[in-house]
Amino acid sequence: MNDFIQLIIAGLATGSIYALAAVGFTLLWQTSQTINFAQGEFVMLPAFFALAGMKFFGLPFPIAAIAAILLSMLTLGVLFKTVVVDPLHKQGTLPLVISTIGLAILLREGVKEFYSAEAQRFPSFFPNINIGTSAANGGSGFNVSADQIGVLIVATATILLLSWFLASTKTGRQMQATAQNPTVARILGVNVERMVMYTFLINGALAAIASLLISPIYLAKFSSGETLGLVAFVAAIVGGFNQVRGAIVGGFLVGIIDNLVAAYISTSYRQAVPLALLVMIILLRPQGLLGRAEERAV
Amino acid sequence: MLRSFTLAALAVTAGAWACAANAQDIVKIPGVLELSGAGAISGTNYRDGFLLALDDINAAGGVLGKKLALETADTASDPGKARAAVQRALDDKPVMILGPVFSGSVNATLPMTNEAQVPQIIGGEAANITSQGSKYIFRTSFGQNVSMPKIANYLRDGAKAKNVAIIYVNNDFGKGGRNAIIKELETRGIKVAADISIEAGQADFAADVVKVKGSGADAIFVYVNEEESARFLIEARKQGVDKPLIGETTLLGQKVIDLAKEAANGVKGHVGLTIDAPVPAVADYAKRFEAKYKYKSDHNGMKGYIAAYFFKTAAEKVGKFDPVAIAAAMHGLTITPDKVPGILIEASWDETGEIDRVSYLAEIKDGKQVITETLPKLKP
């Protein structure tokens, strides 16, 4: 039973990071119909911003982390929107999807070329200590690390804060109105362009927070976004691509299932599990677990 | 007009002659290496160790009056790309090929060098590499058939283990090591409590550590690559694993210590090559490597360094850059540091290309690898 609970906690911690990345997917899709296949690389890159800040500018880790979040909002938010999305948006979804795939390759190879091809150790905000009790010392044998709990708390708090912002503030509601129907939102006086820009800024910040949380566990490496991006995409689809709460549920679900499959079925097939889940959801409930069905005229 | 034309033609001819003469003074060695992907740490170390040796060799006059130059091709840690790179290299009829390091890529390329009769000095340690009958494959580190019996002895005598959990990476290197250690454990009456494979590049080890903890093993044998070793150790410490973590060079290497930091403390095992070996020449090598490349060499760096001197000694013994003759000279060769200081530690090669030399038992203490015992050559 201890093992099972430990796996659930570990799955929730990993799932919360998937959820952060998945929420970014859904936000961009809802407000600008952008499917960002560079989202995994968006989570990879901020860790290198922080490492570069520490290595080249001698910044202490907390300052480097804040600088990484701000730089991510600028580059992965403002620059991404103005340089990649805006010029291609009017050409339709497909050219934009292809350009984000190209951007993912550019970011991966850029980090490999200008920083390193090797994995890098990344500092953690949380102490690397075990909160549980060792069976050898007469304890229950239940182990959970402060790191996992810290990741879970920060990621969940970020998601709750975002949910509150979207639901309870004027700007948040204007963003939701923009997502639901930009034409009507504009008639009602909402500055749609500004709301879309806010969405990109939020996505940049979410990616940076996910990066700072996951890099101490996974290590910072140019290729780490490949799996993350795929899993976050699957999480968004599973939960419902047009619902933020769907992406959150999807993220947690994929994290837990991934850990349970690796422990009780086979580690070898764990990478196939998210894809199998994706196929099942598309076949049985195409709108996702919490998503709403959409119809579009062709 | 005619005079100007003649002068220009002479100048061009002289320039071309000078370039050709310069090119003839350089022997190009293709390096087919893992410079990106899962094997980037290993491939980069292997390359840099070899380049450091080339600097020394070229500064001392080169080999048979010619300078050596390494031309690298990145396999991206992919056996298919390694095959393509080796094919391109063989088209230029090289005197030897350096690499690859990953056993899967070595297995994919060794039939090609065997057929082309070009010596290939590799970093792969899978047991099956030297048992395929190639006369042109050579290691500069122990194969698993040499190292696993030593680890099994340590698990029995040092760790006093009766049940061992095995974690291995699901590729040729990992599967070769897993098969070899299971065979050795069985002959010593040690049971396998858990047999867990992980994927190359795997990032999340929470489930694997839970499985290991639940296996009831007395000791855990970890046989994965450096990055995965570091991630596994970090997760194992987080989950409070208190059983001995034992492995080979890939668990006790410098890169693992750099990445895992305090999580690496207490890890024990067998290392064939280490910069912490109690040998002055090795310490000097480590110092010069770090000064040049700004990071600490691991065992792969030493493998690359030794590979250059292995080739140099064989070529000078033959007296010409003839790949077939050089390969023949490599078999049965013993090189001692008093005659070739660059070899670092006395080494011998048998008829299969397997190396024999002393090795070490080591432990990581306070973020540093400490040698606890020196094990003799198998055939002193």
Side-chain angles (χ1 to χ4, degrees):
Chain A
M1 190 62 188
N2 279 348
D3 288 355
F4 183 76
I5 296 169
Q6 281 171 227
L7 286 167
I8 295 290
I9 292 172
L12 284 171
T14 318
S16 65
I17 297 168
Y18 295 158
L20 285 176
V23 166
F25 260 120
T26 59
L27 282 177
L28 293 195
W29 169 250
Q30 286 181 55
T31 54
S32 64
Q33 276 70 58
T34 303
I35 301 176
N36 179 22
F37 277 112
Q39 187 75 356
E41 280 65 30
F42 277 28
V43 176
M44 172 274 293
L45 193 61
F48 285 94
F49 286 158
L51 286 173
M54 289 188 285
K55 185 176 176 183
F56 300 116
F57 300 102
L59 299 177
F61 175 56
I63 305 295
I66 292 166
I69 294 173
L70 295 174
L71 198 56
S72 299
M73 291 171 75
L74 183 68
T75 53
L76 308 179
V78 180
L79 266 182
F80 174 55
K81 181 180 181 299
T82 51
V83 176
V84 179
V85 177
D86 287 349
L88 286 165
H89 192 252
K90 37 183 120 40
Q91 309 301 326
T93 303
L94 194 57
L96 194 50
V97 166
I98 293 168
S99 68
T100 62
I101 293 171
L103 180 64
I105 297 168
L106 185 74
L107 294 177
R108 273 202 302 274
E109 296 303 312
V111 168
K112 189 169 85 175
E113 184 67 27
F114 294 109
Y115 201 94
S116 175
E118 294 185 4
Q120 307 290 316
R121 181 177 168 77
F122 195 83
S124 174
F125 286 106
F126 314 107
N128 188 14
I129 54 168
N130 180 13
I131 299 173
T133 52
S134 168
N137 298 329
S140 63
F142 178 77
N143 290 286
V144 61
S145 71
D147 214 5
Q148 280 173 341
I149 299 297
V151 166
L152 190 54
I153 289 172
V154 173
T156 308
T158 306
I159 290 165
L160 289 175
L161 187 67
L162 177 68
S163 303
W164 170 82
F165 173 77
L166 291 174
S168 307
T169 66
K170 188 180 170 190
T171 309
R173 282 195 292 270
Q174 287 182 344
M175 286 172 70
Q176 288 204 59
T178 303
Q180 283 164 16
N181 194 326
T183 309
V184 174
R186 191 173 278 115
I187 292 168
L188 292 172
V190 174
N191 187 336
V192 170
E193 283 71 30
R194 180 179 291 178
M195 294 306 123
V196 174
M197 177 59 85
Y198 285 165
T199 311
F200 278 79
L201 286 172
I202 290 171
N203 183 46
L206 289 177
I209 293 167
S211 184
L212 297 172
L213 292 176
I214 205 165
S215 298
I217 305 166
Y218 284 15
L219 304 175
K221 191 171 180 184
F222 74 95
S223 58
S224 61
E226 290 173 28
T227 312
L228 257 174
L230 177 67
V231 175
F233 180 68
V234 171
I237 297 275
V238 166
F241 215 70
N242 50 20
Q243 289 290 325
V244 168
R245 65 174 189 274
I248 296 166
V249 170
F252 281 115
L253 196 63
V254 170
I256 292 169
I257 290 176
D258 179 51
N259 262 313
L260 293 178
V261 166
Y264 296 119
I265 300 176
S266 168
T267 314
S268 305
Y269 298 108
R270 72 188 299 173
Q271 286 178 333
V273 170
L275 296 172
L277 196 62
L278 176 72
V279 171
M280 273 173 54
I281 289 292
I282 286 174
L283 286 174
L284 301 175
R285 193 176 161 80
Q287 71 270 36
L289 293 174
L290 301 181
R292 60 174 187 275
E294 283 182 17
E295 288 181 11
R296 291 189 183 201
V298 179
Chain B
M1 179 68 184
L2 184 64
R3 190 163 169 260
S4 303
F5 178 79
T6 308
L7 282 172
L10 277 172
V12 169
T13 309
W17 174 261
C19 286
N22 192 35
Q24 281 173 2
D25 287 340
I26 294 173
V27 175
K28 290 177 183 170
I29 297 173
V32 179
L33 299 165
E34 293 78 358
L35 302 178
S36 64
I41 294 173
S42 312
T44 308
N45 261 276
Y46 197 58
R47 176 197 64 189
D48 291 346
F50 191 81
L51 285 172
L52 183 66
L54 289 200
D55 285 352
D56 298 346
I57 291 167
N58 289 338
V63 178
L64 302 173
K66 296 187 184 219
K67 308 276 189 203
L68 303 181
L70 180 70
E71 286 190 337
T72 56
D74 182 12
T75 69
S77 308
D78 177 69
K81 287 180 183 168
R83 268 186 75 87
V86 166
Q87 188 54 62
R88 279 195 299 275
L90 289 173
D91 290 345
D92 292 335
K93 305 202 177 310
V95 289
M96 70 158 269
I97 286 180
L98 183 76
V101 178
F102 267 21
S103 297
S105 295
V106 173
N107 275 323
T109 56
L110 76 87
M112 301 164 77
T113 50
N114 189 37
E115 193 182 329
Q117 299 184 312
V118 173
Q120 184 181 8
I121 306 181
I122 49 118
E125 297 181 2
N128 66 350
I129 289 173
T130 49
S131 62
Q132 295 177 42
S134 171
K135 289 286 175 193
Y136 294 88
I137 202 85
F138 299 92
R139 297 191 211 263
T140 50
S141 60
F142 292 136
Q144 292 155 344
N145 38 331
V146 178
S147 58
M148 290 306 162
K150 296 184 176 189
I151 293 175
N153 284 341
Y154 179 72
L155 283 163
R156 181 192 60 195
D157 305 328
K160 311 280 183 203
K162 300 271 188 274
N163 300 289
V164 173
I166 298 171
I167 304 271
Y168 67 97
V169 59
N170 191 13
N171 58 23
D172 284 12
F173 161 76
K175 284 190 271 193
R178 176 242 180 214
N179 294 341
I181 194 71
I182 287 178
K183 187 177 147 201
E184 297 299 330
L185 292 177
E186 281 172 355
T187 61
R188 289 161 180 79
I190 300 171
K191 288 181 183 163
V192 176
D195 186 15
I196 301 165
S197 72
I198 65 110
E199 294 303 312
Q202 185 175 317
D204 188 350
F205 286 92
D208 307 286
V209 172
V210 167
K211 279 162 86 173
V212 167
K213 285 168 63 187
S215 70
D218 305 323
I220 301 152
F221 175 62
V222 185
Y223 201 66
V224 301
N225 296 119
E226 284 88 345
E227 282 179 19
E228 292 80 34
S229 288
R231 293 187 184 114
F232 179 83
L233 291 176
I234 291 168
E235 186 62 38
R237 296 307 183 207
K238 264 190 209 166
Q239 292 199 28
V241 170
D242 52 7
K243 301 296 179 194
L245 291 157
I246 291 161
E248 236 280 322
T249 315
T250 48
L251 185 68
L252 292 103
Q254 187 57 47
K255 191 67 190 177
V256 180
I257 298 171
D258 291 343
L259 291 173
K261 294 284 182 199
E262 61 276 5
N265 286 336
V267 167
K268 295 175 182 173
H270 170 259
V271 288
L273 278 173
T274 168
I275 58 168
D276 297 308
V279 176
V282 173
D284 179 60
Y285 155 81
K287 200 171 150 188
R288 289 190 300 116
F289 185 102
E290 190 172 1
K292 181 166 184 190
Y293 299 110
K294 311 296 176 209
Y295 69 91
K296 286 184 179 172
S297 169
D298 70 2
H299 65 293
N300 285 301
M302 296 180 73
K303 285 188 209 173
Y305 189 82
I306 290 166
Y309 281 98
F310 178 34
F311 171 75
K312 175 182 184 287
T313 309
E316 287 178 343
K317 188 180 174 190
V318 171
K320 56 184 176 179
F321 288 107
D322 176 353
V324 176
I326 289 171
M330 285 171 157
H331 290 294
L333 187 65
T334 292
I335 309 175
T336 54
D338 58 330
K339 292 196 176 73
V340 183
I343 207 71
L344 302 177
I345 303 166
E346 181 181 313
S348 305
W349 282 265
D350 68 10
E351 287 307 308
T352 65
E354 202 74 66
I355 192 171
D356 187 15
R357 75 175 144 230
V358 299
S359 60
Y360 308 94
L361 291 180
E363 180 178 356
I364 297 174
K365 288 179 182 171
D366 301 323
K368 194 162 167 47
Q369 194 185 88
V370 178
I371 301 297
T372 53
E373 192 180 338
T374 302
L375 305 175
K377 282 173 84 173
L378 289 176
K379 295 173 190 168

